[in-house]
Amino acid sequence: MHDKIQNLIREIREVKAQSLDDVEQLRLKYLSKKGLVTVLFDDFKSVPPELKREMGQMLNQLKGEAQHKIESLKADFEEKAENAEKTSDLTRPVSLEPGTRHPLSIVRNQIIDIFSHIGFTVAVGPEIEDDWHNFSALNFTPDHPARDMQDTFFLTRDPDILLRTHTSSVQIRTMEQSQPPIRSIFPGRVFRNEVISARAHCIFHQVEGLYIDKNVSFADLKQTLLYFAKEMFGETTQIRLRPSYFPFTEPSGEMDVSCNICGGKGCNICKYTGWVEILGCGMVDPNVLENCGIDPEIYTGFAFGMGIERITMLKYQIKDLRLFFENDVRFLKQFQG
Ligand code: PHE
């Protein structure tokens, strides 16, 4: 019996088939009720007890190999048949629906486009950051209260490694690596430990901008942002700047655009004020320039940062930010870009 099993295993390993019919013949020959393998199982009853263990194992191996071989031969032929069917009829209609870009990608690309027209290049940086690039170099002193407001996800403490809370970290990396003139925008994903709601998420996207050169003034900042707002929301869009505070800019401001939904008359999107806030901005603090090896006596610059979700919600009148992360195709299909 031992030899019989060995021979059958060898035979089955070598076996070949030319068609699905051949495969079926092989199945009958080995695995059907009267098949060679099945019959050996019947013989097993007469194997002396001391050999049962070894023979049992061999029989199981034989059966396993035979089943596997026949299955894989069958799969080969089925796949071939399917491929032949696919390529033979070139007039068959395509059933796949083309995909669409995610609304956040559409708006991000649009922002990049708008700024590239006035000479801004694009730079990216890591999502996992150290304390220096996310906080310290940006003029957040160790006990600065604004650190608290960033709801940071820390990966390790001491040294502090964290998920970046804003793309301002890429501002620092860019200034460390190059000398002015610098004119770049930094799109990317950022993370904050916020309760998820219609208006906030723990993951979101920002685009930050930075312009450093000799004689860059607040007027340049204002004009750049006005250009952006008109390109993004339409020629009649107005902007207004309100004083604000960020550790890395001085003076700092927040920019509102006139509500493009009610045209400034007041609606629930602008909370009946006619204005919606879209970004933070300011003149880069001299300490930040110094931290990055740029002489603040010679150079000045401005920075701004905006949330892509917020701009997308305004542009398409989307009321719940969570829709961006659910990837429901019924939602995604509505955007073309
Ligand atoms: N980094 C700020 C934020 O995430 C935005 C900002 C960028 C403000 C650049 C001023 C200048 O809230």
Side-chain angles (χ1 to χ4, degrees), residues 138 140 150 165-169 171 190 192 204 206-210 244-249 251-254 279-284 302-307:
L138 287 157
F140 289 78
Q150 301 259 333
T165 58
H166 49 187
T167 44
S168 304
S169 52
Q171 210 193 103
V190 301
R192 289 187 199 177
F204 55 102
Q206 287 188 330
V207 178
E208 170 138 345
L210 177 70
S244 182
Y245 175 79
F246 300 101
F248 38 94
T249 47
S252 305
E254 259 159 45
L279 56 79
C281 60
M283 301 305 291
V284 180
F302 65 70
F304 56 85
M306 63 187 95

Side-chain angles (χ1 to χ4, degrees), residues 102-298:
H102 194 284
L104 294 178
S105 302
I106 295 175
V107 171
R108 181 203 52 209
N109 292 348
Q110 219 168 353
I111 297 172
I112 292 175
D113 232 37
I114 292 172
F115 282 105
S116 66
H117 284 150
I118 51 171
F120 281 75
T121 57
V122 176
V124 290
E127 293 177 350
I128 295 174
E129 266 298 2
D130 49 29
D131 176 273
W132 172 255
H133 292 95
N134 198 79
F135 289 126
S136 297
L138 287 157
N139 217 20
F140 289 78
T141 48
D143 50 1
H144 201 293
R147 283 181 184 243
D148 256 9
M149 286 159 48
Q150 301 259 333
D151 298 318
T152 312
F153 284 117
F154 287 95
L155 301 180
T156 69
R157 279 291 209 176
D158 204 17
D160 284 356
I161 303 294
L162 44 92
L163 296 178
R164 67 179 177 195
T165 58
H166 49 187
T167 44
S168 304
S169 52
V170 196
Q171 210 193 103
I172 299 302
R173 290 186 176 272
T174 304
M175 287 193 279
E176 282 175 341
Q177 282 157 20
S178 46
Q179 280 293 311
I182 295 170
R183 194 159 37 176
S184 292
I185 54 170
F186 316 113
R189 198 153 56 148
V190 301
F191 307 85
R192 289 187 199 177
N193 190 4
E194 306 231 20
V195 176
I196 296 171
S197 72
R199 317 194 71 211
H201 208 289
C202 54
I203 300 176
F204 55 102
H205 299 78
Q206 287 188 330
V207 178
E208 170 138 345
L210 177 70
Y211 180 26
I212 314 274
D213 204 347
K214 289 175 183 155
N215 301 319
V216 177
S217 71
F218 201 91
D220 297 319
L221 168 62
K222 204 170 161 187
Q223 205 57 33
T224 305
L225 294 179
L226 177 62
Y227 157 76
F228 167 72
K230 284 176 182 286
E231 289 290 312
M232 187 50 118
F233 297 108
E235 193 47 41
T236 53
T237 308
Q238 290 177 298
I239 62 166
R240 74 174 185 190
L241 285 158
R242 287 176 289 105
S244 182
Y245 175 79
F246 300 101
F248 38 94
T249 47
E250 181 60 37
S252 305
E254 259 159 45
M255 186 179 92
D256 300 338
V257 290
S258 51
C259 181
N260 68 331
I261 289 162
C262 61
K265 284 195 213 81
C267 67
N268 62 352
I269 300 287
C270 62
K271 297 197 205 101
Y272 300 94
T273 63
W275 297 94
V276 274
E277 181 198 321
I278 64 159
L279 56 79
C281 60
M283 301 305 291
V284 180
D285 193 292
N287 285 344
V288 176
L289 294 176
E290 216 160 87
N291 285 340
C292 302
I294 291 174
D295 188 346
E297 298 294 329
I298 305 177

Side-chain angles (χ1 to χ4, degrees), residues 8 78 285:
L8 267 180
E78 280 169 354
D285 193 292

